[in-house]
Amino acid sequence: MLKIEAVVRPERTSTVLEALTAAGVKGYSYWNITGKGQQEGVEVFTGRGGHLSHRVALPKTMIMTVIPDEMKDAVIEAIIGSARTGEEGAIGDGKIFVSQIDDATRVSTGETGDSTVM
Amino acid sequence: MLKIEAVVRPERTSTVLEALTAAGVKGYSYWNITGKGQQEGVEVFTGRGGHLSHRVALPKTMIMTVIPDEMKDAVIEAIIGSARTGEEGAIGDGKIFVSQIDDATRVSTGETGDSTVM
Amino acid sequence: MLKIEAVVRPERTSTVLEALTAAGVKGYSYWNITGKGQQEGVEVFTGRGGHLSHRVALPKTMIMTVIPDEMKDAVIEAIIGSARTGEEGAIGDGKIFVSQIDDATRVSTGETGDSTVM
Amino acid sequence: MDTGSIAWMLTATLLVLFMTPGLAFFYGGLVRGRNVVSTLMYSFIAMGVASIVWVLWGYSLAFNDTGNGIVGGLEFIGLSNVSYTEGDGIPDLLFAAFQMTFAIITPALITGAFVERFKFTTYLIFLVLWVTLVYAPVCHWVWGGGWIGGLDGGALDFAGGTVVHINAGIAAVAAAYLVGKRRNPGVEPHNVPFVVLGAAILWIGWFGFNAGSQLAADGVAVQAFVNTNTAAAVAAVVWALLSFIHTGRISAVGVATGVVAGLVAVTPAAGWVGTMGSFAIGLGAGIICHYAVHFEILHKLGIDDSLEVFAVHGLGGIWGALATGIFAWGALTDTAGGLVNGNAGHFVANLIAVVVTLLYSGIVSFVILFVLDKIPGLGLRISAGDEDIGIDITAHGERGTVADGAD
Amino acid sequence: MDTGSIAWMLTATLLVLFMTPGLAFFYGGLVRGRNVVSTLMYSFIAMGVASIVWVLWGYSLAFNDTGNGIVGGLEFIGLSNVSYTEGDGIPDLLFAAFQMTFAIITPALITGAFVERFKFTTYLIFLVLWVTLVYAPVCHWVWGGGWIGGLDGGALDFAGGTVVHINAGIAAVAAAYLVGKRRNPGVEPHNVPFVVLGAAILWIGWFGFNAGSQLAADGVAVQAFVNTNTAAAVAAVVWALLSFIHTGRISAVGVATGVVAGLVAVTPAAGWVGTMGSFAIGLGAGIICHYAVHFEILHKLGIDDSLEVFAVHGLGGIWGALATGIFAWGALTDTAGGLVNGNAGHFVANLIAVVVTLLYSGIVSFVILFVLDKIPGLGLRISAGDEDIGIDITAHGERGTVADGAD
Amino acid sequence: MDTGSIAWMLTATLLVLFMTPGLAFFYGGLVRGRNVVSTLMYSFIAMGVASIVWVLWGYSLAFNDTGNGIVGGLEFIGLSNVSYTEGDGIPDLLFAAFQMTFAIITPALITGAFVERFKFTTYLIFLVLWVTLVYAPVCHWVWGGGWIGGLDGGALDFAGGTVVHINAGIAAVAAAYLVGKRRNPGVEPHNVPFVVLGAAILWIGWFGFNAGSQLAADGVAVQAFVNTNTAAAVAAVVWALLSFIHTGRISAVGVATGVVAGLVAVTPAAGWVGTMGSFAIGLGAGIICHYAVHFEILHKLGIDDSLEVFAVHGLGGIWGALATGIFAWGALTDTAGGLVNGNAGHFVANLIAVVVTLLYSGIVSFVILFVLDKIPGLGLRISAGDEDIGIDITAHGERGTVADGAD
Ligand SMILES: Nc1ncnc2c1ncn2[C@@H]1O[C@H](COP(=O)(O)OP(=O)(O)O)[C@@H](O)[C@H]1O
Ligand SMILES: Nc1ncnc2c1ncn2[C@@H]1O[C@H](COP(=O)(O)OP(=O)(O)O)[C@@H](O)[C@H]1O
Ligand SMILES: Nc1ncnc2c1ncn2[C@@H]1O[C@H](COP(=O)(O)OP(=O)(O)O)[C@@H](O)[C@H]1O
């Protein structure tokens, strides 16, 4: 099994989740994070609202899903397709990380293996 | 070392944490997530409170703990025992994912290896 | 590529992030968690504010960054240097976990490999 | 001058003024978290802009009666010639201040229709135009010596069912239609406690609205006070019960909406019906507004009146205006009373007032917004990208709450 | 009719009405995040249900004095025969509205005992029954011409220490006992700013409660005003100091609770003691209520009075009632004064009032709840599963705040 | 005694009292999330401590005029000899209560300068000393029969521009200087809705401040009322426009700050200028305070006046005091009026009052804090470790909000 961790723009979250489901993903988890990549951050008002300051890191959403190995390409494609905002090269659209999961267990049944995530 | 990531019902969080401690776990981290598995979601009021809408994903808690390899079975058992709500097969009780951790470092001392998580 | 997960005191977050950037890290993500290690927790008021109770787990920040393998030592050193609060052995300063990342993809360009995190 | 009435009217003016931040929180709780600052600001800035317009020329246009029946004169520009010591029971200047608070909240009510996507700078200009071109004239017609107030039979609008709620409700439809649907409305209100806080402030403030509209600390104000509470309470409980019947759950947002529906409906009737009349008005409001929201009537027509301004203020206001014609109590109105007393005069006059207000406000609001949309550099709607990111950060450079580890 | 007094009593009525949402936020901040909507709604819906009960029959049962000393008549049903123009200084209808706000907040106070687990639909019925069977009679006894008001020696309850606070405090014990302990009470209040907001609104609103109970804008109202503030301030500071002594920290929730304790205790005394009398009352309240909370007295008996309603309102109310008998100042009471003036009459009468209220309210509240628990389809407690998930989502279909990326 | 004026002054007193929790939320929203409870408590506890000081000796020192011009006598200790029935239009005791609310909020204003790092226990002592040694004397000079009130030409401070705002503003500078900079100020306010809520409460409450300072429900109170609103509205809109010009965005916090700036500046002028005078004052306040904040003047001097107390209250107050001397309207002041009427008397007298207050308050506040810093066991600043963790948990044992899965 593989773990896919995708960091995406928060406003794209529901789009990406729908794309995951369409790609056959049965389970996912997501949460709010703050992050920095190449993106330059944003100007925000500071103090009593008289001037702007620079905030380096931005709100993002982390979407995590564990999938069977064979779904990898489909899932990554689904994420890219739904999370990308514009012309190639637009920074801030996010990153996808893939890593190994040794084992998964469904709490309700105790079953393990690929069937828990299919 | 292994990393155990357990997604459980939020209302079970303290029970699971106590079970982990009872099973000998020395450290853990947890946070709020939203997730979807087989569970069908929940009806919530939308707009001005005149009718219900379907929310697919639900609040869950992610519990993450890094443990020595030999504790794996005990920890999984502890989580299942404390997170399961009812008769076998009740959906929504959560999932447990296991993966490899290469190395751990304790910030305060700089020590590494299994002793950091025992 | 390696994934570094560092749990640190929340009040150290910006210091650690600056140290990461100084060490050459190009991207990171962080979020609020609650956790327990050796640290003994904290006394907080309960109910109507007449007496204290013990809260076992404490607010912490999880910082996650994916880096090329060769940056491992520099990054760990940067985290330790910026997250450690006092004399050796002070508990609660945090933990650093290292694990393998198979692959990374930049959403905006579709590129993969080390270049996505450098 | 009666110091007791001055004391009450100073208080009543504040109560109505406080309703606008109450509305800010009510609306602010209903939207998505990324738009809470913006939604608060649509209401809050109205306290600034509409105050200025009112002081400079709005009051004059509404209340400087020159007898033409259509619009007021210019004698009270800058509140000059408005006495702070003389007047009818209370100083004229206090009356101007009291009326100002109505001119503030009415455009703020409209904003519920277009939250999460309306351009803030255009909105500032809209505020100036709408108070000038829609609010002031309608206010003049009903209360300032204009033609509606002089209708045969007697149009009854005690505290602003027509001037405030129908007026705002239909303008909301025009605005929602022109600005278009939200790209991604989300599922749930992001902060229910804010909604409850807003509803509580609105409930309390509305006593200033209704009992204050008597302009004196007397028995009619007391009756208006009791009616206000009764209608709100009944509509809230009705909504709770309908919510339970249809869903098995009792929505807090629904109950809060029921409160507002009851308050809207009793507004034109407040000092002109008895306690049980207000009971009936609250009952009707709860039912009508609940089903209007339940069946999403405007949304089915493709109009994203996001926070249901028309369903609550428009329909609630229309029901209230007609119900005033039904339940008006002769002893209070000093006339033959409403339909229940066998007199159709008030009912017919109110019906005319309703229709004309719907037409006038609907059309002029539409035209104002249509023109603003076409002016280069203005336009009604923020860009799709800004809408996706959230209008708080893009238009206000702020986030509602900041809670990450590094703050 | 005195317009100044009408003006003040309109305001005072609103102030007391605003206390109920204040209480909603106070209680709402103290519970777990998953139960905040529910906790807000227990209070907020009381503004609906108790208003209706009061208008329909509650006021009549409490204040239509027919001379039997036990319960009022039915002449004021639907507020008929309650004049909006005539009365004793203020119109009778305004008095009815003012008293209504007390009938709203009293049952809302009880809810602190059973938050996070009490079935909302049963609660709606409880509200109707309790206001009818407990609140209205006790109110009649003390203020409506009933036997406690007529006690030899003179029971003194200026603004409702007995009628409101002891009454609610003991009902809370019965409710907490019958509904049983929370399955998982958590450790900390989930939102301290809400607690502070609630405390601030309660503090402000309480001036309506206490200075309003004079029913006139006069010197006694002013004295009651100053006393109210003094007792609150002293009890708050006392709690802060005791908190610091025992823990080295100063709990904001504790200070807020101290404020409420001081306000509760000065309620029966408000217009009948001098400034330094209220100082002493605040001092006692801070100490008594702090230690009652500190030592968790009811919890040790296995009764999960979750938000310490009895410790604060019950004990604070009892202390206040007795302290009124001690510190009553002859010049204000037009009698021989309290124990400090060597007159035990008020003290004894108040003691009787306290004991009878504890017994009557405790028993009847218990019976009402016991019966509701047994009726099929009702029952006091939500299911264990619903309690674990949180009552917001299970009973109200809502979450307090929504803050995930997808909203 | 006039019941209408009593009614208004009871209300006005509450309005000003409510400003302190409003300030608590305004300031509380501006700090980092880990310090919200502390920031709320700095203000909230002032309602306790300053109330007690005022009742026990503060009022006497300020208003027991013994003719020496410098400080009051001790006859009103414990509010003895302060009549609750007799007085000048309203009972003396009501005047004492009204003035108390000013003594509460003034030190609370200072706290904006040292949030997130000032030791709470030391602060409690500071409160007692500052109200006694700074607030009471300055109040005596201006309003209690002291020398400033008696200046030739006539110093005009209608509602406390000098006594409250300049006084607090300069004390804030002393405090910020002595306590030192925050270790890590963060970037953004943590809760903008709290800021808006606080601003709304301040705006509403300020009518009590300004219109209440007339001490009667009359025409001048009405004029003060309208002026208050006008200045606030204008300054808010000015800030919005300047914000847009400089950044392309309109900060909600900025607009809220504009509101406060306008309110501060109109305070000394409230009952002594016409409507358009207040318009000009609001305009000036918006511009001056905006640029003071924009250019971070104190921060550039190395003084971390964290929430810009001096920029808003100090400079806003100075502008208001001078503007009163400029725009004072003879008809209202019963004198030759301000500079616009060709009379420099008020302007010069106000200038003297400003300078003396800056000097006296600045120096004495500095000395008090300097001494407190040196006393073993006290000290102004919490430890670096406690500051890093956040003062909520370290000084109050509480967290603002708790939202983890296990609560
Ligand atoms: N190396 C990394 N490790 C962890 N998180 C990362 C990394 N790089 C990017 N991220 C996360 O992804 C988010 C989006 O990254 P983005 O700005 O699109 O990266 P880039 O511009 O480099 O493609 C960042 O805000 C951060 O949360
Ligand atoms: N494949 C997955 N990847 C990531 N998270 C998952 C996955 N499956 C389930 N989860 C998480 O676990 C939670 C509980 O899953 P659950 O509904 O119990 O799954 P199931 O019903 O499939 O056993 C989900 O809400 C989600 O947060
Ligand atoms: N084994 C572990 N697994 C997951 N998280 C851990 C583990 N040990 C520690 N942590 C996280 O690190 C935080 C800091 O740990 P700390 O108290 O410094 O550990 P220690 O005192 O054991 O060095 C904890 O609060 C927890 O969030």
Side-chain angles (χ1 to χ4, degrees), chain C residues 38-43 54-58:
Chain C
Q38 286 177 5
Q39 211 182 9
E40 275 312 302
V42 68
E43 304 298 303
H54 188 71
R55 163 170 281 278
V56 175
L58 292 177

Side-chain angles (χ1 to χ4, degrees), chain A residues 27-29 65-66 106 117, chain B residues 7 35-36 38 60 92-95:
Chain A
Y28 52 72
S29 303
T65 179
V66 176
R106 194 189 294 273
V117 296
Chain B
V7 182
K36 185 185 115 47
Q38 287 176 2
K60 298 281 170 186
D93 282 357
K95 293 260 170 73

Side-chain angles (χ1 to χ4, degrees), chain E residues 12-357:
Chain E
T13 304
L14 290 179
L15 289 166
V16 187
L17 190 61
F18 200 33
M19 287 173 69
T20 298
L23 184 72
F25 276 82
F26 197 118
Y27 280 178
L30 289 170
V31 298
R32 302 185 74 168
R34 65 183 67 150
N35 299 316
V36 62
V37 173
S38 153
T39 305
L40 291 171
M41 285 310 284
Y42 286 138
S43 290
F44 195 67
I45 200 68
M47 295 173 70
V49 176
S51 286
I52 293 174
V53 171
W54 194 252
V55 165
L56 292 186
W57 64 80
Y59 179 65
S60 197
L61 293 183
F63 286 102
N64 177 212
D65 188 13
T66 60
N68 65 31
I70 303 301
V71 68
L74 302 177
E75 215 183 304
F76 298 161
I77 289 276
L79 298 187
S80 53
N81 304 312
V82 183
S83 172
Y84 68 91
T85 49
E86 304 291 311
D88 188 12
I90 58 167
D92 290 339
L93 190 64
L94 180 51
F95 177 73
F98 181 65
Q99 285 294 333
M100 176 185 70
T101 61
F102 287 60
I104 290 168
I105 198 169
T106 310
L109 288 171
I110 302 171
T111 65
F114 56 60
V115 288
E116 314 195 281
R117 58 203 191 282
F118 202 95
K119 201 168 167 182
F120 196 71
T121 42
T122 304
Y123 170 65
L124 295 178
I125 300 170
F126 170 72
L127 269 176
V128 174
L129 296 177
W130 197 84
V131 173
T132 307
L133 300 178
V134 180
Y135 186 79
V138 172
C139 181
H140 181 72
W141 299 349
V142 177
W143 291 330
W147 69 272
I148 289 181
L151 277 178
D152 276 359
L156 296 178
D157 188 1
F158 193 79
T162 306
V163 177
V164 173
H165 296 287
I166 300 176
N167 200 353
I170 191 68
V173 177
Y177 174 77
L178 282 169
V179 77
K181 295 190 200 183
R182 284 166 292 175
R183 285 168 59 83
N184 183 349
V187 177
E188 304 162 76
H190 97 284
N191 197 315
V192 174
F194 281 4
V195 176
V196 174
L197 177 64
I201 293 174
L202 286 171
W203 191 335
I204 298 298
W206 223 292
F207 291 98
F209 214 90
N210 286 359
S213 286
Q214 174 65 5
L215 305 176
D218 65 10
V220 175
V222 170
Q223 183 66 58
F225 190 104
V226 169
N227 290 345
T228 300
N229 192 68
T230 304
V234 171
V237 172
V238 165
W239 199 298
L241 297 179
L242 292 175
S243 180
F244 188 71
I245 290 168
H246 284 285
T247 67
R249 270 148 275 188
I250 294 181
S251 162
V253 171
V255 169
T257 302
V259 166
V260 176
L263 291 165
V264 166
V266 81
T267 295
W272 285 325
V273 300
T275 308
M276 295 317 292
S278 68
F279 200 101
I281 289 173
L283 197 69
I287 296 170
I288 292 169
C289 297
H290 174 270
Y291 283 108
V293 170
H294 183 71
F295 290 122
E296 306 188 86
I297 45 172
L298 277 175
H299 298 270
K300 287 198 176 122
L301 297 171
I303 297 176
D304 181 11
D305 176 3
S306 311
L307 307 183
E308 307 280 5
V309 181
F310 185 73
V312 177
H313 297 272
L315 293 182
I318 293 170
W319 159 244
L322 301 183
T324 304
I326 299 172
F327 298 109
W329 181 24
L332 279 157
T333 56
D334 259 343
T335 65
L339 288 185
V340 290
N341 298 136
N343 170 27
H346 297 313
F347 186 87
V348 173
N350 273 11
L351 189 59
I352 295 172
V354 166
V355 172
V356 171
T357 304

Side-chain angles (χ1 to χ4, degrees), chain A residues 47-105:
Chain A
R48 288 293 282 255
H51 48 90
L52 296 169
S53 280
H54 188 71
R55 161 170 284 278
V56 175
L58 293 176
K60 298 281 171 186
T61 302
M62 169 73 79
I63 300 174
M64 187 273 256
T65 179
V66 176
I67 52 168
D69 293 5
E70 60 272 19
M71 288 179 66
K72 178 180 164 188
D73 292 345
V75 164
I76 289 184
E77 221 163 279
I79 295 172
I80 291 184
S82 55
R84 199 180 274 178
T85 51
E87 62 288 0
E88 203 165 290
I91 57 174
D93 283 357
K95 293 263 170 72
I96 308 171
F97 303 114
V98 182
S99 56
Q100 299 289 333
I101 288 288
D102 295 356
D103 210 358
T105 310

Side-chain angles (χ1 to χ4, degrees), chain F residues 322-360:
Chain F
L322 301 183
T324 305
I326 298 172
F327 298 108
W329 182 23
L332 279 156
T333 55
D334 260 342
T335 66
L339 289 184
V340 291
N341 298 137
N343 171 26
H346 297 313
F347 186 86
V348 172
N350 273 11
L351 189 59
I352 296 172
V354 166
V355 171
V356 171
T357 303
L358 286 172
L359 286 174
Y360 180 78

Side-chain angles (χ1 to χ4, degrees), chain F residues 59-321:
Chain F
Y59 179 66
S60 197
L61 293 183
F63 287 101
N64 178 211
D65 187 14
T66 60
N68 64 32
I70 304 301
V71 68
L74 302 177
E75 217 184 302
F76 298 160
I77 289 276
L79 297 187
S80 53
N81 305 313
V82 182
S83 173
Y84 67 93
T85 49
E86 303 291 310
D88 186 11
I90 57 167
D92 291 338
L93 189 63
L94 180 50
F95 177 73
F98 182 65
Q99 285 294 333
M100 175 186 72
T101 60
F102 286 60
I104 290 169
I105 197 167
T106 310
L109 288 171
I110 303 170
T111 65
F114 56 60
V115 287
E116 313 197 280
R117 59 204 190 280
F118 202 94
K119 200 169 169 183
F120 195 73
T121 42
T122 305
Y123 172 65
L124 296 178
I125 299 169
F126 169 73
L127 269 177
V128 174
L129 295 177
W130 197 84
V131 173
T132 307
L133 300 177
V134 181
Y135 186 80
V138 173
C139 181
H140 181 73
W141 300 347
V142 177
W143 291 331
W147 70 272
I148 290 182
L151 276 178
D152 276 359
L156 295 178
D157 188 2
F158 193 78
T162 306
V163 177
V164 173
H165 296 287
I166 300 176
N167 201 352
I170 191 67
V173 177
Y177 174 77
L178 283 169
V179 77
K181 294 191 200 183
R182 284 166 294 174
R183 286 167 59 83
N184 183 349
V187 177
E188 305 161 74
H190 96 286
N191 197 316
V192 175
F194 281 3
V195 176
V196 174
L197 178 64
I201 294 175
L202 286 171
W203 192 334
I204 299 298
W206 222 293
F207 291 96
F209 214 90
N210 286 359
S213 287
Q214 173 65 4
L215 305 177
D218 64 11
V220 176
V222 170
Q223 183 66 57
F225 190 103
V226 169
N227 290 344
T228 301
N229 192 67
T230 304
V234 171
V237 172
V238 165
W239 199 298
L241 297 179
L242 293 175
S243 180
F244 187 71
I245 290 168
H246 285 286
T247 67
R249 271 147 275 189
I250 294 180
S251 162
V253 170
V255 169
T257 302
V259 167
V260 175
L263 292 166
V264 165
V266 81
T267 295
W272 285 325
V273 299
T275 307
M276 295 317 292
S278 67
F279 200 99
I281 290 173
L283 198 68
I287 295 169
I288 293 168
C289 297
H290 174 270
Y291 283 107
V293 170
H294 183 71
F295 291 122
E296 306 187 87
I297 44 172
L298 278 175
H299 298 271
K300 289 200 176 118
L301 297 172
I303 297 176
D304 181 12
D305 176 3
S306 310
L307 308 183
E308 307 280 6
V309 181
F310 185 73
V312 178
H313 297 273
L315 293 182
I318 291 170
W319 158 246

